[in-house]
Amino acid sequence: NFFSFFMQLFYFHNRLIHWGGYKMESLVEKAKNGDKQSFSRLINTIQIELYNIAKVKLNNEDDVKDVLQDTILDIYKDIIY
């Protein structure tokens, strides 16, 4: 899935995204340790960018929502498991 690939690139290339002073890596690490608030912050940080990319690629609002939901679930699985 394109968005899972995007997230892998995002993380592995160590692009820093700041949210309220937190770096993305910090949010991921905290989420891995069970911090639900950090996972929410992580998703809130990337959600708009993911939506915009999906909207350009898919052009259908229902498809965009489905892909975003699948992508967020994939991110959750990658972090938690």
Side-chain angles (χ1 to χ4, degrees):
N1 147 334
F2 172 78
F3 296 102
S4 292
F5 177 71
F6 171 77
M7 284 307 304
Q8 289 172 355
L9 286 177
F10 213 61
Y11 184 73
F12 289 119
H13 290 286
N14 292 322
R15 260 183 77 188
L16 300 179
I17 292 182
H18 292 81
W19 183 93
Y22 289 98
K23 294 179 182 178
M24 179 175 241
E25 290 85 359
S26 174
L27 292 175
V28 170
E29 287 304 314
K30 288 179 180 181
K32 283 183 179 180
N33 291 323
D35 185 342
K36 293 178 183 176
Q37 186 176 22
S38 290
F39 181 77
S40 293
R41 287 178 180 163
L42 174 67
I43 296 305
N44 288 337
T45 300
I46 62 175
Q47 185 172 322
I48 293 171
E49 189 171 352
L50 289 175
Y51 174 86
N52 289 337
I53 292 168
K55 188 67 175 172
V56 167
K57 296 289 184 184
L58 299 174
N59 294 322
N60 179 303
E61 192 66 26
D62 289 334
D63 290 342
V64 169
K65 289 178 182 178
D66 287 343
V67 167
L68 285 176
Q69 183 176 7
D70 290 346
T71 301
I72 291 169
L73 184 59
D74 287 346
I75 293 167
Y76 179 79
K77 288 177 184 176
D78 287 345
I79 288 175
I80 300 303
Y81 300 113

